[in-house]
Amino acid sequence: MKDLASAFTAANARVFAKLGLDPKHADVRRSDRPDLGEFQANGALAVAKAAGKKPQEVAQSVAAEWSATELSPAPSIAGPGFLNFKVTADALTRRAQFVADDAHAGASLVEHKRRVVVDYGGPNVAKGMHVGHLRASIIGESVKRIYRFRGDEVWGDAHFGDWGFQMGLVITALEDELGGFDDEAKLDARLKALTLDQLEAIYPAYAKRVKEGDINVRDRARKATAALQGGSELHRTIWKAMHDVSMAAQKRDFASLGVDFDLWLGESDADPLIPGMVEDLGKKGLLEDDQGARILRVAGPGETRKKKRDDGTVVEVESPDPLLVVSSEGSAMYGTTDLATIVQRMRDQKPDLILYCVDQRQADHFEQVYRAAAKAGYAQRDQLEHIGFGTMNGPDGTPFKTRAGGVLKLQDLIGQAEEKARHRLKENEIGADFSKEEFEDVAHKVAIAAIKFADLSNFRGTSYIFDLDRFMSFEGKTGPYLLYQAVRIKSILRKAEEMGLTPSPPLRGRGQGEGGRSDAQAPERLNAPHPPTPAPQGGGGVIAIEHESERALALALDAFDGALRTAYDKKSPHFLAEHAFNLAQAFSGFYTNCPILPSEGAVRASRLALAAATLKQLTLTLDLLGIEVPERM
RNA sequence: GCACCCGUAGCUCAGCUGGAUAGAGCACUGCCCUCCGAAGGCAGGGGUCGGGGGUUCGAAUCCCUUCGGGUGCGCCA
C-alpha cells in the first residue's frame, strides 16, 4: 500500500492526464498550510503556462475532475491556483491500519534491487578511533541500514587504513627504537608486547618529524613502504603484528558504537591486485612518466585551473590533478590502492553501486579515482559516489579538539557521555531498582543515542558544533528524548498486558521485548525479508481515527515511507531523524489528548493499536539510525 | 591564486529539482499534573533568510557580483 502522498500524486496524475496536462506537475505533498489542507498540489501554476491557460481555470478543472475519489473530497482552491486536499477519515484509517499491521511499518521497497557496497568507518591501523571517525561510522552505518531495509543487497566494508606510507613510517620508528632489526629475538619480543596505545604515540610523533622537514626519516619511511609492498618478509611480519593488535582494538570500539561490518577488509587486501592493475593501465596507454613517478591523467580537454606555486608564480594546470599511481620510490599511493579496491569489489561483490562515506575534504581525491576507474573501464562513473560529510567542530567552530589540543579518543568521548547519562538518570530518579548491569546498559544506550542522534539530525554535508551537554539533554530534539518517548509507550503496553488487554498483532510481532539485544543483531533484523503483502489483520486493535490528535498521529505514521525514500535517495539519514522526532511529537500530542488505558472498549483497543504501531515504527526508525531503545529508563 | 562548501530567530540547526503567512529545538514569557511516565503538552514574543543586482506571475531556493567563515589543490591517508 502506498503512502498517502504517493496515492494522491498518482490520482492527481490521472486527473492531469485526463485533462491533457503534463502529469509530471501533478506532485502532491504534505501541506505547509495545515489551516488550508493536509496535502497540497501546486502544479496547476506551473502547468498553466505550458498549456496557455490561466492557473485558476486549470485548478478549477482539476478540482472538478477530482470530485469522485475516495481518497479525498474535491480539493479547495486557494490563491492563484493552489489545490488543497483533506484526507477522508476512511482513507486515513485504512492507511493507519496498514502501517499497524505491516511488519515494515508502511515502508516500501526499492523498485529495482541493487548490489551496493558501503565503504565507511575507515579506521587507521596506526591511529586509534577518535572523534574524527565518529561521523564516518555513524552516517555510514545508517546509510547501510537504510539501503538494506529498502531491499538492496548491501555490504558494509570498514576499509581499514592499513597500507601505504603510514605503515612505512611506523616501521621506521620501530627500527629507531630497537636500533635496527638485526636482533630477531628482540624484535619478536617487542612485537608481542605491542599495543595500540604505543602505535598511537609513535605515529603522530614521526608524522610530525616528516612534516617538519626531516628528509632522512621521510626517505627511510618511503623505502620501508616500498619494501613492505615489495613483499619483504621482515616488513610483512612487523606489519602483521601492528595490523592485528590494531584490528582487535578497533573491533571493540566499533562494537561499543553499535557499528558492524560485513567485510572487515583493508587497503592491504587490495595490494595483491596492484601489480596486475598497473600493468593493465600501462597496456591501455593510460600511464605517463612524470618526474620519476607514473601518473594517470583524468582531466578532460579544456579542464584547467590556475595554480599558485611555492615561489609565488601562477601557472595553468589541468584539473582535476592527475592520479599518482606509482611514486618515484616505486610504491603504491592512496589513490592506487583505492583504484585497486574498485577492481577487487567489482570482482568479488559485483556491485551496481559503491558508496564512499568519507570526509568531504577528500572530494577531489575521489573525483580523481572515479575518473581513473572510468577511464580504465573498471567501473562506470555513476557507479561510484562519494557521500561526503562535514567535520565535527568544537565550540570555536574549528574541528573538535580536546582542551589540551589533542584529538579526543572515541572511548573517552563515549565515557564522558555515559557519565552524563548516569547523572541524568539519577537526577530523575530512574533506575534505582535496576540491577547494576541494566543501569549501565541503559546509560550506554542513552549515551550512544545522544551522540548518534545529534550527528544524524544535521544534514551530513555541513559541519556541526559538538556540545555534549546539549546532546545529552532529555528535553527537546535529542536522542534521549526519543528514547523516553519509546520507553513511555513500552510502559503503557506493559500495563495493558497486565490488565489483560489483548495485544494487537504488531505488538506481538515487534514492539514488545525487542530491546536490550546486542548490536550484532540489528543488521540481521534488517535483513529480514520484506513481505510483499501486509500481514493479515488480527482480531484485536482495529483502528478508528476520530480525534484530531489521532489524525495527526496517523498522518505522522503515514509519512515514514516518504522520509525513508528521501533519506535513501539523498543518502542523508537526517530525513529519518526528522521523522522520528515528528512521530514522537505527534504521539505526545495524542498521549496528552487521547487517554489510552483510561478509555474503554473499541476506543481503547484502537488507541492501543495506534500506540503499538507508533512504537514499532519509532523503534524501526531509530534502528535505521543505529540507535537502540532500552526496555525502560 | 584557483576550486568547492557554508552564511536563515539570542544560540544550535532544518528547509534550497522556485510556490501560499520561512520552520524546529534550546533559551525567554504565560498556562496545564486528584488522570496511562510533566524527560510531557498548549499558547506567546523573537527573522531586511550576510549585502547588492538580475531572471520570474512568484526567489531563502536559480544566475551574476560583493563581504565574511571553512576546506581542498601530485609523491600523507
Side-chain angles (χ1 to χ4, degrees), chain A residues 507-527:
Chain A
L507 176 58
R508 209 179 289 129
R510 172 174 265 280
Q512 197 86 333
E514 189 76 20
R517 305 281 176 79
S518 73
D519 293 312
Q521 289 195 358
E524 201 178 295
R525 285 210 300 273
L526 291 173
N527 261 334

Side-chain angles (χ1 to χ4, degrees), chain A residues 84 113 162-163 196 249 252 274 282 284 319 350 372 412 422 460 486 491 500 543 546 588 600 615:
Chain A
N84 292 301
K113 183 174 171 168
D162 61 358
W163 211 238
L196 180 59
R252 281 196 300 276
I274 289 179
K284 286 174 176 162
S319 176
K350 303 179 180 60
D412 294 342
R422 287 187 204 101
R460 63 174 163 75
S491 169
I543 290 173
E546 304 285 348
S588 236
E600 292 180 350
L615 176 62

Side-chain angles (χ1 to χ4, degrees), chain A residues 461-476:
Chain A
T462 53
S463 300
Y464 72 100
I465 294 182
F466 188 84
D467 179 349
L468 200 52
D469 282 321
R470 190 161 62 78
F471 301 166
M472 288 301 300
S473 168
F474 283 28
E475 294 154 23

Side-chain angles (χ1 to χ4, degrees), chain A residues 3-42:
Chain A
D3 63 294
L4 293 170
S6 301
F8 267 110
T9 297
N12 200 38
R14 281 194 294 275
V15 172
F16 268 49
K18 198 167 178 183
L19 296 171
L21 305 169
D22 189 346
K24 81 172 180 188
H25 292 296
D27 263 20
V28 181
R29 57 166 199 254
R30 278 297 293 275
S31 177
D32 44 32
R33 288 292 302 273
D35 53 320
L36 299 176
E38 288 166 336
F39 290 84
Q40 62 178 344
N42 302 336

Side-chain angles (χ1 to χ4, degrees), chain A residues 59 71 77 87 100 107 162 188 206 216 259 277 299 305 341 348 358-359 367 394 421 423 469 475 492 530 621-622:
Chain A
L71 203 54
I77 301 165
V87 191
D162 61 358
D188 195 48
Y206 268 65
N216 178 34
V259 171
M277 182 184 80
R305 64 181 169 81
T341 301
D348 297 340
V358 183
D359 194 312
E367 182 62 26
H423 275 296
D469 282 321
E475 294 154 23
I492 294 166
H530 196 313
T621 306
L622 290 172

Side-chain angles (χ1 to χ4, degrees), chain A residues 302-362:
Chain A
E303 286 187 308
T304 62
R305 64 181 169 81
K306 284 175 183 161
K307 184 178 176 178
K308 195 177 182 179
R309 287 181 150 155
D310 290 343
D311 60 13
T313 58
V314 175
V315 291
E316 183 130 334
V317 298
E318 66 199 296
S319 176
D321 282 330
L323 186 73
L324 185 57
V325 178
V326 184
S327 80
S328 48
E329 262 331 305
S331 55
M333 305 302 294
Y334 179 38
T336 320
T337 310
D338 273 352
L339 197 54
T341 301
I342 291 172
V343 174
Q344 182 187 29
R345 287 171 177 159
M346 286 300 169
R347 180 192 70 189
D348 297 340
Q349 283 78 39
K350 303 179 180 60
D352 301 302
L353 181 65
I354 306 178
L355 301 176
Y356 293 78
C357 194
V358 183
D359 194 312
Q360 190 63 49
R361 289 177 287 194
Q362 295 192 37

Side-chain angles (χ1 to χ4, degrees), chain A residues 174 177-178 183-196 198-199 237-246:
Chain A
L174 194 67
E177 183 196 314
L178 297 176
D183 188 338
E184 216 171 287
K186 193 174 168 189
L187 174 61
D188 195 48
R190 183 67 189 89
L191 291 182
K192 281 204 172 96
L194 194 67
T195 66
L196 180 59
Q198 292 166 352
L199 286 175
T237 304
I238 299 168
W239 172 85
K240 182 78 166 51
M242 292 174 168
H243 175 270
D244 291 352
V245 74
S246 179

